[in-house]
Amino acid sequence: DAKTTQPNSMESNEEEPVHLPCNHSTISGTDYIHWYRQLPSQGPEYVIHGLTSNVNNRMASLAIAEDRKSSTLILHRATLRDAAVYYCILNLEGSNYKLTFGKGTLLTVNP
Amino acid sequence: DSGVTQTPKHLITATGQRVTLRCSPRSGDLSVYWYQQSLDQGLQFLIQYYNGEERAKGNILERFSAQQFPDLHSELNLSSLELGDSALYFCASNSGSPYNEQFFGPGTRLTVL
């Protein structure tokens, strides 16, 4: 499986934008980039996913580099509720259905 | 609330015992996934079922087995339990497409003493 690299932790202030980076230099042309997050004491929660183009939804934006070797999850205005572990996951086309979680980035949001 | 339910919420048992964890997927979802989350291994995929059939297998031990019933609920059976099996077990569901988001349940915390 192609691997992803994320910082172990990041810190942000409430109501400020947060940019969570993910490197995936061995990504193949058909890998989708998924982001999930896990709030304390809860199951993982889907955030967003994309293939080549930047994507927006009500939770976040996903910016994908032109060469697709990296991506950035953008939380436009962090709230205390956004404090969680964020996982960047590559989902291989057709070859498997599992989500392979790495260690993720622990986001701390300061009031 | 993801719509995925798991029971029980907590389970405490002894080594050597057998337990069954239950998962009800979201209404309309045909696929169920099981994951294990432990402190040292992180979140690991165990197995996936689609409409009653096993579709994908991950790092699932031979002591563990799962099935999906005609009403689409799933059970994960863990036997000959060891201390190292203590973990959070999550169930997720989706339509079955690998590109669709998976909806996770709240998990079952298993403690083996």
Side-chain angles (χ1 to χ4, degrees), chain A residues 1-110:
Chain A
D1 290 351
K3 288 191 69 171
T4 62
T5 305
Q6 299 177 253
N8 289 334
S9 62
M10 290 185 65
E11 211 168 309
S12 172
N13 295 320
E14 206 176 1
E15 302 203 358
E16 289 184 358
V18 182
H19 290 233
L20 296 163
C22 180
N23 286 319
H24 27 78
S25 58
T26 59
I27 192 170
S28 74
T30 52
D31 289 345
Y32 277 76
I33 302 159
H34 291 244
W35 283 82
Y36 281 74
R37 71 180 185 181
Q38 188 172 19
L39 278 64
S41 304
Q42 293 189 29
E45 173 187 37
Y46 168 83
V47 178
I48 200 166
H49 77 281
L51 183 61
T52 55
S53 306
N54 294 345
V55 185
N56 300 297
N57 66 20
R58 63 175 179 80
M59 285 182 72
S61 295
L62 176 60
I64 301 172
E66 205 168 317
D67 63 5
R68 301 208 329 123
K69 292 185 188 301
S70 65
S71 61
T72 303
L73 178 70
I74 302 165
L75 307 179
H76 295 286
R77 288 181 70 210
T79 69
L80 296 178
R81 201 195 166 276
D82 291 322
V85 178
Y86 286 78
Y87 299 97
C88 168
I89 300 163
L90 300 184
N91 192 273
L92 309 178
E93 183 211 17
S95 64
N96 63 57
Y97 298 79
K98 64 182 181 181
L99 294 175
T100 302
F101 289 83
K103 295 195 186 308
T105 297
L106 174 63
L107 176 66
T108 302
V109 180
N110 300 314

Side-chain angles (χ1 to χ4, degrees), chain B residues 61-79:
Chain B
L61 300 171
E62 282 192 19
R63 300 183 285 109
F64 296 1
S65 65
Q67 54 184 328
Q68 186 179 27
F69 295 87
D71 67 352
L72 300 177
H73 91 270
S74 178
E75 293 180 356
L76 179 66
N77 300 298
L78 315 176
S79 61

Side-chain angles (χ1 to χ4, degrees), chain B:
Chain B
D1 183 359
S2 67
V4 177
T5 59
Q6 290 187 249
T7 55
K9 199 174 169 77
H10 300 278
L11 200 46
I12 301 174
T13 188
T15 54
Q17 295 297 306
R18 173 190 167 94
V19 296
T20 297
L21 312 184
R22 183 188 167 105
C23 168
S24 292
R26 286 190 328 151
S27 177
D29 282 352
L30 297 177
S31 200
V32 168
Y33 307 75
W34 285 97
Y35 293 84
Q36 178 195 57
Q37 186 171 34
S38 61
L39 280 173
D40 54 343
Q41 297 286 335
L43 258 165
Q44 289 202 84
F45 168 76
L46 295 178
I47 198 164
Q48 180 209 1
Y49 278 82
Y50 177 80
N51 204 20
E53 300 288 328
E54 181 186 304
R55 177 171 268 185
K57 218 165 185 173
N59 301 319
I60 188 165
L61 300 171
E62 282 192 19
R63 300 183 285 109
F64 296 1
S65 65
Q67 54 184 328
Q68 186 179 27
F69 295 87
D71 67 352
L72 300 177
H73 91 270
S74 178
E75 293 180 356
L76 179 66
N77 300 298
L78 315 176
S79 61
S80 303
L81 285 168
E82 302 175 0
L83 296 177
D85 298 327
S86 296
L88 267 167
Y89 291 84
F90 290 105
C91 165
S93 76
N94 73 1
S95 65
S97 165
Y99 308 115
N100 288 353
E101 62 185 285
Q102 292 182 21
F103 295 87
F104 283 77
T108 292
R109 181 174 291 281
L110 174 66
T111 303
V112 182
L113 301 175

